[in-house]
Amino acid sequence: MAQLECKNLCLGYNSNIIVKDLNFSISKGDYLCIVGDNGSGKTTLIKTILHLIKPISGTITTGDGLLPDEISYLPQQTDVQRDFPASVREIVLSGCQSRCGKRPFYTREEKQLAVTAMEKLGITYLEKRCYRELSGGQQQRTLLARALCAAQKMLLLDEPVTGLDPAATEEMYDLIEQLNKTGITIIMISHDIEAALKHATHVLHIGNKIFFGDVKDYDRHINSVL
């Protein structure tokens, strides 16, 4: 059973269509990389999956026990967010806010969830550090840990290595791959097709022509076009 399935999806804003006839499905534990030119609809697709915007037509359904609130999202950072004056622990723990409802405090279980997330991302030693004093790679690790606190079945990542140096970029890709190997489904927007072919199991290319398939098929598809 598919964990996420999009059928005959038409995306855009108001009546302005960005992409149409989008069909794909992914299963639990897949690693999907979404690629395409700027403005092709990659981020619009992510926001539609998250129900932040509505599709113009078509359907998005979840299955295999996945609920809408079990999908977490790591968007691109803004300059304001990079300068946020809170500790790493506070940032990570804030991923549990949606679980709290009207409760003005975190439970022992939620605090332990934050501890576990920081351990997974290797940032426990940074927990008391101010977020805005961290390097770009450390900030992305912190935000990834926060996303793990929000939901642990599916992670949606929008250009998670933007602004990182080559070493931090490779480190972040490795961390995401490690999370995927624990059973977390990954959907990641990337401008780096080479990284997609190295780390992902499936590729969705959005553009004038839409491609969806496994990495080997995409590699053959690219070579046949060139």
Side-chain angles (χ1 to χ4, degrees):
M1 178 183 292
Q3 194 177 47
L4 181 76
E5 185 172 20
C6 296
K7 287 186 176 180
N8 305 318
L9 208 57
C10 181
L11 305 177
Y13 297 89
N14 300 318
S15 59
N16 181 29
I17 296 174
I18 298 176
V19 59
K20 60 182 179 180
D21 299 327
L22 192 57
N23 292 276
F24 70 93
S25 64
I26 58 174
S27 301
K28 180 181 178 181
D30 282 348
Y31 187 149
L32 174 67
C33 197
I34 305 174
V35 298
D37 294 335
N38 290 336
S40 60
K42 302 184 297 296
T43 298
T44 302
L45 172 59
I46 292 290
K47 290 181 178 180
T48 305
I49 292 173
L50 291 165
H51 302 288
L52 298 176
I53 60 176
K54 293 182 178 180
I56 294 174
S57 62
T59 60
I60 299 177
T61 56
T62 56
D64 199 17
L66 178 70
L67 300 175
D69 62 357
E70 293 176 320
I71 303 173
S72 58
Y73 177 42
L74 178 58
Q76 292 188 44
Q77 266 202 104
T78 65
D79 289 337
V80 172
Q81 290 169 328
R82 291 189 182 93
D83 199 39
F84 197 70
S87 71
V88 167
R89 182 179 182 277
E90 289 170 333
I91 295 287
V92 175
L93 194 53
S94 69
C96 296
Q97 283 182 349
S98 62
R99 305 167 187 267
C100 294
K102 295 182 179 180
R103 172 166 39 86
F105 58 87
Y106 295 110
T107 65
R108 180 180 300 176
E109 290 77 14
E110 289 161 351
K111 292 177 181 178
Q112 183 56 49
L113 190 62
V115 169
T116 301
M118 286 189 290
E119 289 174 349
K120 283 185 178 181
L121 275 300
I123 56 172
T124 303
Y125 73 101
L126 296 172
E127 65 175 331
K128 295 182 180 179
R129 288 276 303 278
C130 182
Y131 177 77
R132 64 185 178 189
E133 296 174 355
L134 304 180
S135 69
Q138 291 170 334
Q139 287 189 345
Q140 285 298 83
R141 280 175 175 250
T142 300
L143 294 179
L144 198 52
R146 182 186 186 278
L148 282 180
C149 285
Q152 296 187 310
K153 288 189 177 181
M154 181 179 287
L155 278 173
L156 274 55
L157 312 170
D158 191 349
E159 300 279 11
V161 299
T162 298
L164 301 185
D165 62 42
T169 292
E170 190 58 36
E171 186 178 76
M172 181 57 60
Y173 279 138
D174 288 342
L175 283 170
I176 294 168
E177 187 173 31
Q178 289 170 26
L179 292 175
N180 177 243
K181 288 179 178 178
T182 68
I184 298 174
T185 304
I186 302 293
I187 300 178
M188 181 180 70
I189 293 175
S190 177
H191 67 278
D192 189 344
I193 295 178
E194 184 178 347
L197 297 178
K198 181 179 179 181
H199 296 279
T201 60
H202 295 77
V203 178
L204 174 64
H205 187 117
I206 302 177
N208 293 330
K209 290 185 177 180
I210 294 173
F211 171 90
F212 171 71
D214 65 31
V215 168
K216 291 181 180 179
D217 288 340
Y218 183 68
D219 202 14
R220 288 193 291 267
H221 168 75
I222 289 296
N223 289 331
S224 67
V225 171
L226 297 176

